[in-house]
Amino acid sequence: MTLDLFDTEELSDNRQQQLAQDAVVLRAFATPYVAQLLPQLEAIQQASPFRHLVTPGGFRMSVAMTCCGALGWTSDRRGYRYSAIDPDSGRRWPAMPDVFLQLAQAAAAQAGFDGFLPDACLINRYQPGTRLSLHQDKDEQDYDAPIVSVSLGIPAMFLFGGHERSDKAARVPLFHGDVVVWGGVDRLRYHGVLPLKEAEHPLLGGQRINLTFRKAA
Ligand code: MD3
Ligand code: FE
């Protein structure tokens, strides 16, 4: 299968790019929320600092992660799972700030997913050279709920694949404030992020932060 964005991209609104039937990029959708998001992000990382998880296969992930919400995603030699407790702090993950939830719900609604109620927000930190190899998000109970992704900081090249790992992936640049919503028939597509290029963002410096909101339980 090949993906040709010229065939699928809707040009009616240059802030809203349809990647596929149930996957859309909302350009700069998060911009009005950023001033309120950043102090919350700071508080979350004080309570549950970024860490490099180890995959069940024993590889240290180059992306650093933390979480907020009732459930957080974690990984170790025993497997991948959602957990109410941060294994590093031994306490519950920080609560999901209201402004996070409001952004996620507004973006989901804009993409046609009303009533999205995420219980988990994964927070990924990318530094130059960091990548995320092609994968599917399959650890959630309910594939009917969409996933909402918020990009902050320096740009990244996102890989938007198909339903088989070998399907050719389209490259989609994501910038500070961009939101991607994907659900329905596109919920289980393979996706990833190419190694981050060096750059500097006025608010976040030389890094990219990605928030992904999920309904895990
Ligand atoms: C999936 N994060 O945390 S989210 C992850 O930018 C993860 O940090 C990436 O994959 C990141 O599991 C990507 C953005 C995204 C956008 C469109 C998709 C993921 C998608 C379309 C289909 C499937
Ligand atoms: Fe993912």
Side-chain angles (χ1 to χ4, degrees):
M1 176 208 147
T2 51
L3 265 175
D4 182 354
L5 287 180
F6 291 105
D7 286 338
T8 51
E9 210 164 349
E10 254 167 34
L11 300 171
S12 54
D13 178 351
N14 64 7
R15 316 275 286 176
Q16 182 153 342
Q17 298 174 308
Q18 209 72 39
L19 296 177
Q21 183 180 307
D22 294 322
V24 68
V25 183
L26 308 174
R27 295 288 179 195
F29 189 90
T31 302
Y33 298 83
V34 168
Q36 284 185 73
L37 283 177
L38 294 183
Q40 297 294 337
L41 201 55
E42 189 56 40
I44 290 165
Q45 59 182 294
Q46 297 279 339
S48 281
F50 283 106
R51 80 288 309 264
H52 293 273
L53 296 173
V54 173
T55 67
F59 296 101
R60 173 188 185 270
M61 294 181 71
S62 69
V63 181
M65 291 187 178
T66 187
C67 300
C68 68
L71 292 169
W73 187 84
T74 185
S75 174
D76 59 23
R77 293 304 301 244
R78 306 198 320 271
Y80 306 114
R81 65 196 158 274
Y82 280 95
S83 164
I85 300 295
D86 172 356
D88 280 15
S89 72
R91 296 182 310 195
R92 282 191 292 273
W93 297 99
M96 195 181 299
D98 273 344
V99 59
F100 280 39
L101 186 61
Q102 281 161 21
L103 167 56
Q105 290 183 327
Q110 175 69 30
F113 297 97
D114 286 312
F116 179 46
L117 195 58
D119 53 17
C121 175
L122 273 63
I123 305 172
N124 293 329
R125 186 188 67 197
Y126 296 77
Q127 283 165 332
T130 302
R131 63 194 289 266
L132 190 63
S133 54
L134 274 184
H135 67 278
Q136 294 172 295
D137 293 1
K138 293 212 296 189
D139 298 324
E140 300 74 25
Q141 303 279 342
D142 177 9
Y143 297 155
D144 290 339
I147 295 182
V148 173
S149 150
V150 177
S151 292
L152 300 169
I154 68 177
M157 192 62 83
F158 177 69
L159 294 171
F160 182 73
H163 285 88
E164 307 288 339
R165 187 182 294 278
S166 57
D167 290 341
K168 185 176 164 58
R171 293 174 176 210
V172 181
L174 293 178
F175 302 95
H176 179 75
D178 289 349
V179 177
V180 187
V181 181
W182 70 102
V185 299
D186 298 311
R187 171 67 178 73
L188 290 174
R189 279 181 185 264
Y190 278 88
H191 58 280
V193 178
L194 288 181
L196 209 71
K197 289 188 176 164
E198 272 293 341
E200 199 64 22
H201 186 272
L203 294 176
L204 285 144
Q207 61 174 349
R208 169 175 186 260
I209 303 277
N210 180 264
L211 314 176
T212 53
F213 295 91
R214 299 118 189 277
K215 184 167 161 28

